[in-house]
Amino acid sequence: MRFTTEGEILLKLADDLLPRIAKAENDLASLKEDMNGRLHMAIECHSCFQWLMPALKEYQVAWPSVTLDFSSGFGFEPLPALMAGELDLVITSDIQARSEVHYEPLFDFEMRLITAPNHSLADVETISPDHLINETMISYPVQKQRLDVVKHFLQPNGVEVKKWKQADNTLMLVQMVSAGLGVAALPNWAISEFSRQGLITSKPLGDGLWRRLFAATRASEKDKRYLQAFFSTARQQCKSHLDGIKMV
């Protein structure tokens, strides 16, 4: 038995169409999975709550079927949790190069020293590490070695401050600094409004301590549509509402 001329035409059509139909079915299944994904995240930056909550609210409108959840990431190491599948995304400025992890750049920001307006450092044009030797440094409740001001400013210059205090959130921290209880290092976008109100002064650390904020995900999942949508929403939210940052 063999195909007729008409049958050969139909066979050729089937050979062309059936693989395309199978691909379309797989694409639709993947799309459905993307639309109903999970985004469990950890945040390694207290100040990030200032822009993350509005970004998540906007994201949920466009992606209502994605399950959102987050933890602070301050009491545990979030990267192992990401690799184990317990988390899907980590907001961090600390890169640990691993082939299994993709770091999506969000924006660059400057860490600045804040003081009370009447503090002795308020009139100093540029802060050097030695300026902080006799100071009380106020920080979030995070291990000191994980703080940018320690890792990239104090520690490389062999400087340790006189005393440390902690504050649970940005508003409390700024109020403590404003009251003269110590100094602190915070991202420029987190303190701009307090500076405008005259509650604090803001000074550059050295020649400028610039850092980059990333969204870390598993490399195997970085191209998922709901993750790409989150990256885009976060960048747009930050570009529209944060002062002093540089988009990347």
Side-chain angles (χ1 to χ4, degrees):
M1 294 180 63
R2 63 181 181 179
F3 285 98
T4 63
T5 301
E6 292 85 350
E8 290 285 355
I9 293 173
L10 292 176
L11 179 61
K12 184 178 180 181
L13 178 65
D15 288 340
D16 181 46
L17 286 180
L18 290 178
R20 292 169 64 185
I21 291 173
K23 182 179 184 302
E25 289 174 341
N26 289 332
D27 288 345
L28 289 172
S30 297
L31 178 61
K32 183 177 180 181
E33 180 184 351
D34 271 359
M35 293 294 291
N36 295 277
R38 187 193 77 165
L39 192 55
H40 289 188
M41 64 180 69
I43 306 108
E44 286 197 300
C45 166
H46 276 74
S47 305
C48 288
F49 285 101
Q50 181 175 329
W51 62 262
L52 182 61
M53 294 302 105
L56 287 178
K57 184 177 180 180
E58 181 180 335
Y59 178 78
Q60 282 185 301
V61 173
W63 295 82
S65 297
V66 175
T67 303
L68 293 176
D69 194 11
F70 66 87
S71 57
S72 67
F74 304 125
F76 67 101
E77 290 290 341
L79 194 59
L82 176 68
M83 298 311 304
E86 299 167 15
L87 295 172
D88 305 299
L89 185 144
V90 178
I91 304 295
T92 182
S93 61
D94 185 18
I95 285 185
Q96 300 178 34
R98 298 179 60 165
S99 60
E100 310 98 317
V101 180
H102 168 73
Y103 290 92
E104 182 76 15
L106 298 178
F107 60 85
D108 291 346
F109 63 95
E110 184 186 8
M111 293 293 294
R112 293 180 68 89
L113 188 82
I114 62 171
T115 74
N118 60 352
H119 192 281
S120 60
L121 293 178
D123 296 325
V124 176
E125 185 174 342
T126 300
I127 303 298
S128 69
D130 290 342
H131 281 130
L132 303 179
I133 290 177
N134 294 314
E135 297 296 331
T136 296
M137 182 73 75
I138 307 173
S139 71
Y140 298 119
V142 180
Q143 294 176 329
K144 288 189 296 182
Q145 59 268 29
R146 296 175 65 182
L147 297 171
D148 284 335
V149 69
V150 173
K151 290 189 300 181
H152 304 288
F153 188 67
L154 296 175
Q155 199 171 62
N157 292 281
V159 171
E160 174 60 73
V161 301
K162 181 179 180 180
K163 186 177 180 182
W164 287 87
K165 290 182 179 180
Q166 294 185 336
D168 290 331
N169 56 66
T170 302
L171 181 58
M172 180 185 298
L173 194 155
V174 170
Q175 289 177 335
M176 291 174 68
V177 170
S178 182
L181 301 181
V183 299
L186 289 178
N188 53 351
W189 49 266
I191 59 176
S192 57
E193 183 59 31
F194 301 113
S195 294
R196 281 193 289 267
Q197 295 176 19
L199 297 175
I200 55 172
T201 62
S202 166
K203 300 292 179 179
L205 291 162
D207 295 328
L209 180 57
W210 283 86
R211 303 290 297 146
R212 179 166 292 180
L213 198 67
F214 298 88
T217 63
R218 288 181 289 277
S220 60
E221 299 183 357
K222 68 181 179 67
D223 293 323
K224 286 185 177 292
R225 292 180 68 245
Y226 66 88
L227 278 173
Q228 290 294 323
F230 174 79
F231 301 152
S232 177
T233 300
R235 277 193 285 260
Q236 185 57 48
Q237 181 71 215
C238 295
K239 181 180 179 180
S240 300
H241 300 290
L242 299 184
D243 292 336
I245 65 171
K246 297 178 181 178
M247 303 309 298
V248 294

